[in-house]
């Protein structure tokens, strides 16, 4: 039965949910009004004020969540859980009834519902495993004010018709009290996942029977506008949710999980995953209470909060949370590597980290164009600071990534520390070293790991040179580089493109250093945005051709003769051997080295007589397009770098530190051509 309008009642108007916050008169108006808080705050006009007076308060922090409406406005009709299930997964109505199903009684048409039709619908409902009845104006097991016997009968009917439901979503409905949740769970003996997102509870007093909640392993309470006090009410009974493993509390506006001092906070030992996204946490001090309430938690997500530091009380929290293995702090306000440096101390067993989309890692677009390695730098400098990581921003960290990242981090740290110590010559050495260790806490450990000279040790004891690798050895190209390091894999690449207009042929080119490990698709994206080429290139409408230093034999005359002689007939074994012998006996490596040397002579000499004399001695000539030796033509080998591949572009490059790559634009055929 309907109990009328009251503060706290949930209503729906044309599919838009709201909660009654006020029922009474307004100054300067006649009759009475309903003050409602809309679930969608953009639908309202104010925050509960009328002519400057605060009539009621909203739970939402939005300034436009409230409206005043007339009580005579008709709300949407409500349904029970079973009615909503039948509507969505059963026949739902008499639509589609054929003429054979109709009977006429006293001139009135009635539907004949046979046992076969009922049996099919019941079988369909009995097979349901996942049921989503959110946003269907569901008000509970039965309408408000129903007797206990009626509720029990409805539970038995739901249990008989849907015995296999394991996941139920009743979020964004008109359920008002937490006590209405337990009867629903009691009717579904196999239920393990319960989604209550968007419900706005007027009261959170639990039912006396908490056994049905003990079966729940995954609980969703997103956008319920719950407070820490509310959470104490929900989880206060130790017997309820005793097997809960995953808890979702996103978008509740939480700033803390600590309730009032006179109440003991709840504790759920079984929980392993906690999601606190889109709340208002400012730092990681919240982890102290998280690990107290959930002592076995391994995964914590604090995405899209307001976290900017490790702690507001000091530079680093004194607590250590060894149970946490996965942390998500992406989309926050982290702007310093000091936060990353503190993670190994606070979370010694951290293996998975998401930290993208923070000010520290958001790269300027122009910087990314000018420096293709910009996105790799943050990745390397982060993984090097947290030695236990195996996954960073969903990317697996392999041994090669870790080695490159740590060596690159050492090179950056060397420069930072050298600059620091150069400014601290007249200061206390101990103070300078303490500052250095604060800036780069992992530096000395990694320097020892790679047997590199420590700048800190050299500063403390300049005479203790031991001949280990120094910064200069890492940066100087003429010296040996650590195997597998990022610097060792840098390639100086010259990209050029020939463009033709109506009068002249021009060439555009640029040269920069690239790691051979970046994907081919990313390389093409960088070139597409480069100022030297962006006016001439279109996405996916150009090829990259690597001009190798290797030479391949070319003989167009012999090739055409061979084709005309052999195409169209089967060759005998003797004919095949004869054709193969035409290539002659030659040493490929010797010919290539000789040809490159002579090509340089041909290109740099201004005296044609000298060229002819030298090439005659070495048996080389040139026709402008090919190098010729003993009547055979040779040309540089060309290798195309394929489109749309995530493989490193260096896979198509030979072991060379200086390469030349040609850009060839082309027109993509239009549809239908």
């Amino acid at each position: 039965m309907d109990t009328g309008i009251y503060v706290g009642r949930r209503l729906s108007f044309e599919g838009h949910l709201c909660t009654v916050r006020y029922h009474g008169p307004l100054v300067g108006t006649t009759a009475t009004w309903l003050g409602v808080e809309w679930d969608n705050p953009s639908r309202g006009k104010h925050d509960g004020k009328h002519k400057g007076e605060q009539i009621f308060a909203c739970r939402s922090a939005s300034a436009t969540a409230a409206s005043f409406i007339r009580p005579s406005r008709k709300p949407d009709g409500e349904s029970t859980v079973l009615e909503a299930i039948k509507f969505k997964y059963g026949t739902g109505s008499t639509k589609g009834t054929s003429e054979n199903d109709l009977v006429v009684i006293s001139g009135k048409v009635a539907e004949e519902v046979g046992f076969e039709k009922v049996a099919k619908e019941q079988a369909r409902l009995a097979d349901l495993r996942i049921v989503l009845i959110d946003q269907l104006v569901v008000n509970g097991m039965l309408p408000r004010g129903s007797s206990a016997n009626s509720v029990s009968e409805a539970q038995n009917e739901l249990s008989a018709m849907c015995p296999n439901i394991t996941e139920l979503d009743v979020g964004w409905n008109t359920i008002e009290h937490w006590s209405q949740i337990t009867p629903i769970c009691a009717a579904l003996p196999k239920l393990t996942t319960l989604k209550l997102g968007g419900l706005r509870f007027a009261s959170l007093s639990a039912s006396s029977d908490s056994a049905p909640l003990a079966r729940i392993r995954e609980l969703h309470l997103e956008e319920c506008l719950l407070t820490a006090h509310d959470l104490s009410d929900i989880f206060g009974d130790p017997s309820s949710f005793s097997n809960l493993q995953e808890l979702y509390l996103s978008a509740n506006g939480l700033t803390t999980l600590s309730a009032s001092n006179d109440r003991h906070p709840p504790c759920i030992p079984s929980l392993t995953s906690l999601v606190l996204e889109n709340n208002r946490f400012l730092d990681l001090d919240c982890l102290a209470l998280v690990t107290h309430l959930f002592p076995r938690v391994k995964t914590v997500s604090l995405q899209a909060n307001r976290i900017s530091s490790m702690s507001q009380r000091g530079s680093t929290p004194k607590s250590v949370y060894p149970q946490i293995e996965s942390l998500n702090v992406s989309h926050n306000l982290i702007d310093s590597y000091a936060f990353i440096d503190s993670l190994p101390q606070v979370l010694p067993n951290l293996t998975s980290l998401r930290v993208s989309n923070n000010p520290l890692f958001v790269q300027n677009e122009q910087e990314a164009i000018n420096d293709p390695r910009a996105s790799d730098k943050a990745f390397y400098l982060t993984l090097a600071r947290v030695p236990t990581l195996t996954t960073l921003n969903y990317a697996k960290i392999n041994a090669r990534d870790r080695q490159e990242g740590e060596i690159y981090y050492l090179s950056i740290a060397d420069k930072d520390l050298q600059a620091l110590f150069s400014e601290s010559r007249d200061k206390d050495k101990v103070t300078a070293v303490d500052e250095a260790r604060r800036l780069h806490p992992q530096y000395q450990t990694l320097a020892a790991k790679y047997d590199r000279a420590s700048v800190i040790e050299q500063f403390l004891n300049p005479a203790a040179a031991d001949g280990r690798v120094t910064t200069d050895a890492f940066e100087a190209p003429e010296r040996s580089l650590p195997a597998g390091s990022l610097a060792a894999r840098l390639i100086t690449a010259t990209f050029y493109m020939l463009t033709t207009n109506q009068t002249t042929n021009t060439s555009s080119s640029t040269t920069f250093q690239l790691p051979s490990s970046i994907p081919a698709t990313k390389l093409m994206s960088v070139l597409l945005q480069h100022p030297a080429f962006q006016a001439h290139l279109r996405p996916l409408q150009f090829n990259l051709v690597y001009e190798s230093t290797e030479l391949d034999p070319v003989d167009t005359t012999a090739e055409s003769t061979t084709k005309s002689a052999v195409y169209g007939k089967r060759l005998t074994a003797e004919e095949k051997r004869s054709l193969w012998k035409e290539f002659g006996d030659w040493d490929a490596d010797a010919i290539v080295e000789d040809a490159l040397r002579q090509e340089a002579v041909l290109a740099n000499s201004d005296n044609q007589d000298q060229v002819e004399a030298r090439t005659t001695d070495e048996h080389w000539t040139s026709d402008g397009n090919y190098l010729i030796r003993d009547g055979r033509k040779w040309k540089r080998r060309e290798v195309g770098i394929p489109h749309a591949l995530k493989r490193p572009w260096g896979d198509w490059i030979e072991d060379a530190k200086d390469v030349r790559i040609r850009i060839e634009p082309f027109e993509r055929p239009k549809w239908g051509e």
Side-chain angles (χ1 to χ4, degrees), residues 149-215:
N149 289 336
S150 299
V151 172
S152 178
E153 292 176 0
Q155 285 179 303
N156 293 335
E157 184 179 4
L158 176 60
S159 180
M161 297 192 69
C162 306
N164 295 311
I165 294 177
T166 60
E167 178 179 328
L168 177 65
D169 186 348
V170 291
W172 286 273
N173 280 302
T174 56
I175 295 174
E176 299 172 0
H177 304 283
W178 183 261
S179 57
Q180 296 175 262
I181 301 300
T182 305
I184 299 174
C185 297
L188 304 172
K190 295 184 179 181
L191 185 66
T192 58
T193 299
L194 180 60
K195 297 184 177 182
L196 307 175
L199 297 184
R200 307 295 167 86
F201 296 104
S203 68
L204 292 164
S205 56
S207 172
S208 58
D209 182 15
S210 59
L213 300 178
R215 296 192 294 265

Side-chain angles (χ1 to χ4, degrees), residues 204 226-234 257-260 262-263:
L204 292 164
L226 299 173
T227 65
H229 186 89
D230 295 333
L231 296 178
S232 296
D233 288 335
I234 294 173
L257 295 179
S258 177
S260 57
D262 59 340
R263 305 190 63 187

Side-chain angles (χ1 to χ4, degrees), residues 502-625:
Q502 296 180 353
T503 58
T504 60
N505 295 332
T506 60
S507 175
S508 302
S509 66
T510 186
T511 301
F512 41 70
Q513 286 189 317
L514 294 168
S516 60
S517 58
I518 68 172
T521 51
K522 185 172 183 179
L523 172 60
M524 293 181 179
S525 177
V526 170
L527 294 173
L528 189 65
Q529 301 175 67
H530 195 280
F533 308 119
Q534 60 183 358
H536 308 287
L537 299 180
R538 296 293 181 268
L540 299 179
Q541 294 189 32
F542 64 94
N543 293 320
L544 298 182
V545 180
Y546 163 53
E547 297 177 349
S548 171
T549 56
E550 296 288 336
L551 298 180
D552 288 330
V554 176
D555 193 335
T556 55
T557 302
E559 181 181 1
S560 61
T561 302
T562 302
K563 286 183 178 180
S564 62
V566 302
Y567 281 13
K569 73 172 185 177
R570 186 184 300 274
L571 297 179
T572 64
E574 183 61 30
E575 288 174 329
K576 291 180 181 179
R577 284 194 295 270
S578 176
L579 286 173
W580 179 252
K581 288 180 180 180
E582 291 183 9
F583 285 98
D585 296 327
W586 42 267
D587 185 336
D589 293 334
I591 288 178
V592 168
E593 294 175 1
D594 193 12
L596 292 177
R597 183 170 63 254
Q598 293 303 322
E599 186 180 36
V601 172
L602 294 171
N604 298 325
S605 178
D606 295 329
N607 191 323
Q608 187 64 27
D609 295 335
Q610 294 179 3
V611 172
E612 293 179 357
R614 292 178 183 176
T615 54
T616 301
D617 293 340
E618 300 293 340
H619 310 293
W620 286 99
T621 59
S622 174
D623 62 359
N625 295 319

Side-chain angles (χ1 to χ4, degrees), residues 11-18 38 43 69 73-76:
L11 297 172
S12 174
F13 294 97
E14 299 177 351
H16 298 281
L17 291 167
C18 64
W38 298 100
R43 185 171 175 78
I69 62 175
R73 184 174 178 178
K74 185 177 180 181
D76 299 334

Side-chain angles (χ1 to χ4, degrees), residues 5-146:
I5 299 298
Y6 51 87
V7 174
R9 177 162 182 180
R10 295 281 286 163
L11 297 172
S12 174
F13 294 97
E14 299 177 351
H16 298 281
L17 291 167
C18 64
T19 306
V20 177
R21 300 296 185 198
Y22 174 77
H23 184 202
L26 292 176
V27 176
T29 65
T30 59
T32 60
W33 292 82
L34 292 182
V36 298
E37 178 184 358
W38 298 100
D39 287 15
N40 179 5
S42 64
R43 185 171 175 78
K45 298 180 179 180
H46 50 79
D47 61 352
K49 290 182 180 179
H50 175 67
K51 294 185 176 181
E53 180 183 359
Q54 192 74 47
I55 305 300
F56 63 91
C58 296
R59 286 191 181 183
S60 172
S62 173
T64 60
S67 295
F68 290 107
I69 62 175
R70 289 291 188 181
S72 57
R73 184 174 178 178
K74 185 177 180 181
D76 299 334
E78 297 180 321
S79 61
T80 66
V81 171
L82 187 56
E83 289 172 347
I85 293 176
K86 289 180 178 180
F87 171 78
K88 187 167 184 178
Y89 298 98
T91 56
S93 67
T94 60
K95 293 180 180 179
T97 304
S98 64
E99 295 182 358
N100 295 330
D101 295 327
L102 301 178
V103 295
V104 179
I105 301 176
S106 301
K108 295 182 179 181
V109 178
E111 181 184 1
E112 180 183 6
V113 182
F115 290 107
E116 182 179 354
K117 184 175 182 180
V118 174
K120 287 182 179 179
E121 179 175 345
Q122 290 179 341
R124 182 164 51 251
L125 297 179
D127 290 337
L128 291 175
R129 299 290 188 275
I130 299 176
V131 171
L132 311 177
I133 52 174
D134 55 310
Q135 303 183 51
L136 291 180
V137 202
V138 175
N139 60 6
M141 183 60 65
L142 281 180
R144 300 174 184 86
S146 298

Side-chain angles (χ1 to χ4, degrees), residues 601-658:
V601 172
L602 294 171
N604 298 325
S605 178
D606 295 329
N607 191 323
Q608 187 64 27
D609 295 335
Q610 294 179 3
V611 172
E612 293 179 357
R614 292 178 183 176
T615 54
T616 301
D617 293 340
E618 300 293 340
H619 310 293
W620 286 99
T621 59
S622 174
D623 62 359
N625 295 319
Y626 303 104
L627 287 171
I628 304 173
R629 177 178 178 176
D630 297 333
R632 187 169 298 280
K633 295 181 179 180
W634 300 78
K635 71 173 182 178
R636 285 182 179 272
R637 180 178 303 166
E638 295 183 347
V639 180
I641 299 178
H643 281 268
L645 285 179
K646 294 184 178 181
R647 286 178 55 186
W649 75 287
D651 288 358
W652 284 270
I653 306 300
E654 300 157 354
D655 294 333
K657 291 299 181 182
D658 195 343

